[in-house]
Amino acid sequence: MKLYEHEALESIYKKYKIPAPRFVFATEPNEKVREFIDKEPAVVIKSMVLVGKRGKAGAVKVVSDKSQALDVFKDLASREVYGEKAIGALVEEKLDIKKEFYLSVTYSTKDRAPAIIFSEHGGMDVEEISPELIHTHVIRDVRSVYPYQIRNFLVGINFSDPDLLRPLSELIVSVFHAFWQTEARLLEINPLVVAQVGDKKKLVAADAVVLLDDDASVSPAVRFGARGGMGRPLTQREQDAILIDQGDHRGKAGSYVELDGDVALMTFGGGGSTVTAETAIEAGLRIANLTDIGGNPPAEKMYKIARIILSKPGLKAVLVCGGTASNTRIDVTLGEGLAKALDDMKAEGKLDPNLVWVVRRSGPEYVKGLRMLHECFVRNGIRGDIYDSQLPITEAPLRLRELMVKHIGYKPEVVA
Amino acid sequence: MKGPIYLNEKTGVVVIGATGREASQVIRESEALYPGIIKAGVTPGKGGSTELPVPIFDTLAQAVQDPKVGKSINTALIYVPPVSVLDAVMECLDGGIKVLYVITEHVPIRDSEIIFQEKVRRNAVIVGGTSLGCFVPSVGRIGAIGGKDPSIAFKAGGLVIISKSGGLTVTTAEMFKRRGWGTYCALAIGGDIISNTTYADVLKELKDDPNVKGVVMLGEPGGSYEEQAAELIQAGGFNKPVAAFISGRFQERMPEGVAFGHAGAIVERGMGKASDKIARLEAAGKKHPVKVAFYYHELLSAIESLGVPRDFEDSTTDFVKPLYSTIG
């Protein structure tokens, strides 16, 4: 989970003594903001959004003319940045910047260890820094991390400012400890600034990008509040789907992400769902949703998710697809849950008779389950083909495409 | 010795967290199918319980010191909740166990890192977290892999199947079995960021094993473990045929999401995306027997074109007819 910059400043930088600019965060230009602006000779104002590259979007502004500061604040605290609505704005002291470094700590899967990444050429997008100017120090033993090791690393990369060797090495170790103890996946400071304060040079972390491990021993959603992953509010169907699994731990049927397409997916199992959705997209089908049903849900859960999936307007086809389940009962999920949803929707006049179906499924009681579903197809006039696991799982979307082209004149997308 | 280091005729398993819902089901099922592989279980507070077909102890130390089963235990299968995994792993490593499976999902990354560093220090083999286990048809299985009736998917043969996704491991074994290829060893390595056993680790381990006729590798976006396998092959570290499928290409066409995030993008520039992995593997395929399947089911034709011999007869045809049809 990604933190807002002010959350990182308040809850991580303070605790681990990572030097930051003086700051105030607010959702509106309140008294604290006015006082802060009054005291500072000049300020930097930033939109608080999770999306990156704010500077390029004009969402970070240096304000020297104080008469404008509140207007800038109002604008940045409420604007949209790359489609994401700001939740407020951060006002910081303006630093007298002499140099900008790049510093981050993250996991390197190459080394299977945390790595400290440092460059003397920070400030811009790290992707734009030439690779030979970026240096990596891998933490092979997390039990002993000391500043002297970092100084050895900095000397090894010909770090240019000997005066900063000690403070920088100590700061980097603090940043590592913050990363480690807060169970982060990434802690990035770009830029890490060398600022002139009076006659002294001082290191100041002028930004904070923190990604916490969602599986951390204390869940970040508990510490900072849950935040959605799609960058948009949940749709009604998505909200309804979430309710399916609440208070009922038997199996999982409530994962549903709504997309723009016209081919509904009822897919089973993590790996199987991904590979089926992916093949459908590669085959040029415009999918209407993602889902991942599994863990042997009871018929009621399957009934509910089936009705939610089929309620999306404009559907042309349905793909019911999963591997050979080891636990999930096929008679219960398809033979009872899905079949009852279809019976009821038909009776209520809510089942589109023009939908084209392909089913591919195997697992416990699949012979019975697929036969029950076939009988349901017959009594409700549903058109489609039903396969067991003789058909490779990812051929199912291709078979559906054939049927759609042949029977309803579907024009698949041309995928590059 | 029959079977690889991950599971062989000398393997004796202790299940940690044995009396939990999932673990006790796995113990019952596995002992009914392949009796004798699981020697004992450990659940603190449940020592002496007789509800399962193996003896239960309060501690790992008691299990390995038990006069009846202690000496035969050399492998641990861990089913404890995420926050208890590190403790369970340390208990096993300190108890002298050298092969461990972590089935638990959502292990904190920090704990995974500590586990990995300890594993390296002690020269142990750990598979997971988020492993579904291991299947070696000539020996048996560890974990839930294959469910109640593994014969649907598994028959002895020459393929090694390595997959981050547990479900796809079995689906893949079944797909190949229907077309005449059996499995030598199927290993669900899990998709955690810090993976204790990677594709490259398995390839290195099995490079001289004469039972291996070909490898099927199933990858996913994230990390650089698929790329590391490609580099190993490129450097001549593994010479047998490898067919690979990498899922997740479609994510690259979707708006930039949180899932890929920023992490790793810096240290691992040019790695991590499905297309990066495919490109590295295809590059290795220029000089080595490596093929990347575009569609998942094209793994079949990849293995065939790499010349991996069938282990038995093809039991389906190239074109499968529907079981039922209500459309013309």
Side-chain angles (χ1 to χ4, degrees):
Chain A
M1 191 178 91
K2 194 171 179 182
L3 296 187
Y4 289 100
E5 186 176 354
H6 68 280
E7 292 175 326
L9 289 172
E10 281 158 7
S11 67
I12 297 178
Y13 280 19
K14 271 186 191 160
K15 184 167 175 194
Y16 294 94
K17 302 191 168 48
I18 297 168
R22 290 186 294 277
F23 72 93
V24 61
F25 165 78
T27 53
E28 51 188 50
N30 58 21
E31 201 47 42
K32 267 161 80 185
V33 173
R34 284 170 218 270
E35 277 174 23
F36 188 90
I37 292 170
D38 274 349
K39 271 189 217 152
E40 297 293 332
V43 292
V44 179
I45 305 180
K46 300 168 169 177
S47 285
M48 282 300 97
V49 285
L50 295 173
V51 70
K53 299 180 185 167
R54 285 174 307 184
K56 280 187 185 153
V60 176
K61 285 188 174 150
V62 178
V63 185
S64 308
D65 178 357
K66 285 197 195 183
S67 66
Q68 292 177 5
L70 285 179
D71 287 336
V72 173
F73 180 94
K74 278 181 213 157
D75 169 30
L76 293 186
S78 60
R79 73 154 66 184
E80 279 193 8
V81 183
Y82 303 116
E84 185 190 333
K85 182 107 172 57
I87 60 156
L90 184 69
V91 188
E92 292 180 334
E93 65 171 304
K94 185 183 171 298
L95 301 164
D96 180 7
I97 296 173
K98 297 297 167 199
K99 263 188 208 167
E100 293 186 321
F101 299 151
Y102 173 91
L103 174 66
S104 68
V105 187
T106 187
Y107 286 97
S108 156
T109 59
K110 182 168 137 270
D111 304 288
R112 288 187 259 180
I116 289 161
I117 299 131
F118 178 78
S119 174
E120 287 197 56
H121 303 263
M124 56 180 140
D125 263 353
V126 68
E127 290 83 3
E128 290 162 14
I129 309 172
S130 149
E132 64 274 10
L133 299 175
I134 299 177
H135 306 280
T136 302
H137 175 70
V138 177
I139 308 292
R140 304 234 178 250
D141 188 347
V142 293
R143 299 169 305 180
S144 58
V145 179
Y146 297 104
Y148 83 85
Q149 298 159 337
I150 305 301
R151 290 195 291 279
N152 287 342
F153 159 66
L154 291 171
V155 168
I157 62 168
N158 298 318
F159 177 64
S160 64
D161 192 340
D163 290 347
L164 288 175
L165 262 182
R166 178 172 292 281
L168 180 58
S169 64
E170 288 169 357
L171 178 118
I172 290 177
V173 168
S174 297
V175 171
F176 173 76
H177 284 143
F179 166 86
W180 186 251
Q181 281 161 28
T182 58
E183 299 187 59
R185 292 181 60 163
L186 172 74
L187 200 169
E188 182 185 74
I189 303 171
N190 187 27
L192 172 63
V193 160
V194 182
Q196 192 73 40
V197 180
D199 58 351
K200 282 196 181 131
K201 281 186 286 185
K202 204 183 146 202
L203 289 160
V204 184
D207 188 22
V209 176
V210 177
L211 272 179
L212 297 179
D213 178 5
D214 292 322
D215 294 331
S217 49
V218 179
S219 164
V222 171
R223 288 171 61 195
F224 296 98
R227 46 200 63 159
M230 287 295 284
R232 60 160 168 79
L234 295 177
T235 68
Q236 188 60 48
R237 269 178 283 274
E238 287 169 343
Q239 293 176 36
D240 292 345
I242 288 170
L243 296 178
I244 295 177
D245 290 331
Q246 275 182 7
D248 186 347
H249 61 85
R250 298 169 299 163
K252 173 174 91 109
S255 111
Y256 173 85
V257 177
E258 196 162 326
L259 303 170
D260 285 338
D262 48 20
V263 177
L265 298 187
M266 279 180 213
T267 52
F268 298 83
S273 293
T274 309
V275 83
T276 305
E278 163 157 289
T279 309
I281 294 167
E282 294 290 355
L285 302 181
R286 292 174 288 273
I287 62 176
N289 66 281
L290 296 171
T291 183
D292 164 10
I293 305 160
N296 197 20
E300 308 93 87
K301 282 194 175 187
M302 188 65 212
Y303 174 86
K304 287 180 188 160
I305 191 66
R307 290 202 61 144
I308 290 171
I309 290 171
L310 295 174
S311 71
K312 185 169 186 277
L315 294 179
K316 295 201 168 83
V318 187
L319 179 62
V320 180
C321 193
T324 301
S326 40
N327 255 330
T328 301
R329 289 264 301 265
I330 310 307
D331 54 342
V332 172
T333 47
L334 301 189
E336 294 171 26
L338 174 57
K340 182 164 191 305
L342 296 173
D343 288 341
D344 287 0
M345 287 180 79
K346 169 84 175 182
E348 295 160 20
K350 290 179 180 163
L351 184 65
D352 180 353
N354 297 315
L355 287 176
V356 175
W357 290 66
V358 163
V359 178
R360 188 274 187 202
R361 188 65 168 137
S362 184
E365 304 297 336
Y366 80 94
V367 175
K368 182 181 165 199
L370 295 182
R371 193 190 63 236
M372 289 165 78
L373 186 61
H374 169 63
E375 288 161 4
C376 165
F377 276 22
V378 171
R379 69 176 169 265
N380 292 307
I382 295 167
R383 303 186 303 159
D385 285 342
I386 298 177
Y387 297 89
D388 64 11
S389 61
Q390 282 191 56
L391 186 76
I393 185 166
T394 50
E395 275 194 40
L398 305 183
R399 296 292 172 95
L400 180 63
R401 180 179 64 181
E402 277 173 38
L403 290 184
M404 291 176 75
V405 169
K406 187 172 160 195
H407 293 278
I408 57 174
Y410 191 75
K411 297 214 169 24
E413 305 251 308
V414 181
V415 178
Chain B
M1 188 176 66
K2 218 154 118 188
I5 184 167
Y6 306 107
L7 171 56
N8 55 62
E9 57 192 355
K10 294 213 171 84
T11 297
V13 174
V14 58
V15 180
I16 313 295
T19 55
R21 194 174 60 93
E22 199 183 338
S24 51
Q25 188 186 342
V26 164
I27 293 173
R28 288 200 183 93
E29 268 178 26
S30 300
E31 278 303 284
L33 291 159
Y34 306 99
I37 296 179
I38 300 175
K39 307 294 183 190
V42 171
T43 298
K46 293 277 175 78
S49 153
T50 52
E51 62 187 90
L52 290 167
V54 296
I56 302 297
F57 300 91
D58 283 320
T59 68
L60 188 274
Q62 288 171 347
V64 295
Q65 281 157 20
D66 182 75
K68 267 201 208 144
V69 298
K71 286 211 160 37
S72 60
I73 293 172
N74 54 22
T75 302
L77 177 58
I78 295 174
Y79 273 99
V80 300
V83 290
S84 307
V85 166
L86 174 59
D87 177 37
V89 167
M90 293 311 297
E91 184 177 18
C92 294
L93 290 174
D94 285 345
I97 308 252
K98 289 288 187 194
V99 179
L100 293 83
Y101 286 81
V102 178
I103 305 299
T104 311
E105 299 176 21
H106 303 296
V107 179
I109 303 173
R110 185 176 65 179
D111 290 356
S112 300
E113 179 60 34
I114 298 171
I115 290 168
F116 173 72
Q117 295 198 357
E118 284 296 333
K119 172 204 98 120
V120 171
R121 268 175 220 122
R122 294 157 190 254
N123 202 19
V125 171
I126 303 182
V127 183
T130 322
S131 172
L132 190 66
C134 178
F135 209 108
V136 176
S138 62
V139 179
R141 75 151 174 220
I142 292 180
I145 186 166
K148 281 192 198 73
D149 186 4
S151 69
I152 298 170
F154 292 106
K155 194 169 167 182
L159 291 182
V160 171
I161 300 170
I162 318 167
S163 171
K164 283 181 175 172
S165 153
L168 270 193
T169 318
V170 184
T171 301
T172 306
E174 181 183 355
M175 177 170 80
F176 276 98
K177 180 184 165 238
R178 291 184 176 280
R179 302 303 308 275
W181 287 276
T183 303
Y184 168 56
C185 173
L187 195 64
I189 59 175
D192 288 10
I193 293 175
I194 302 300
S195 179
N196 283 288
T197 292
T198 63
Y199 304 101
D201 291 336
V202 180
L203 296 181
K204 275 186 234 166
E205 181 61 42
L206 298 181
K207 75 180 164 60
D208 298 320
D209 189 327
N211 297 293
V212 179
K213 303 285 189 280
V215 174
V216 178
M217 210 180 112
L218 298 157
E220 291 170 8
S224 62
Y225 299 127
E226 292 83 354
E227 288 88 334
Q228 291 169 31
E231 276 166 28
L232 175 78
I233 295 166
Q234 189 83 280
F238 189 83
N239 297 315
K240 290 177 186 173
V242 177
F245 173 77
I246 310 293
S247 72
R249 274 169 309 193
F250 77 100
Q251 293 180 6
E252 292 169 32
R253 288 200 297 271
M254 292 191 149
E256 220 168 301
V258 204
F260 283 143
H262 203 94
I266 312 127
V267 237
E268 291 162 357
R269 210 191 288 234
M271 289 193 260
K273 288 190 300 205
S275 57
D276 296 329
K277 295 168 191 296
I278 291 167
R280 299 278 175 119
L281 286 160
E282 282 177 343
K286 287 193 176 135
K287 281 193 185 154
H288 301 271
V290 178
K291 277 223 154 102
V292 183
F294 181 79
Y295 285 126
Y296 164 78
H297 56 269
E298 288 171 355
L299 281 167
L300 289 164
S301 50
I303 278 291
E304 183 151 40
S305 70
L306 287 164
V308 179
R310 280 188 162 80
D311 298 300
F312 36 83
E313 213 177 300
D314 182 351
S315 69
T316 85
T317 54
D318 240 344
F319 188 82
V320 179
K321 287 203 189 96
L323 219 54
Y324 301 106
S325 184
T326 50
I327 194 164

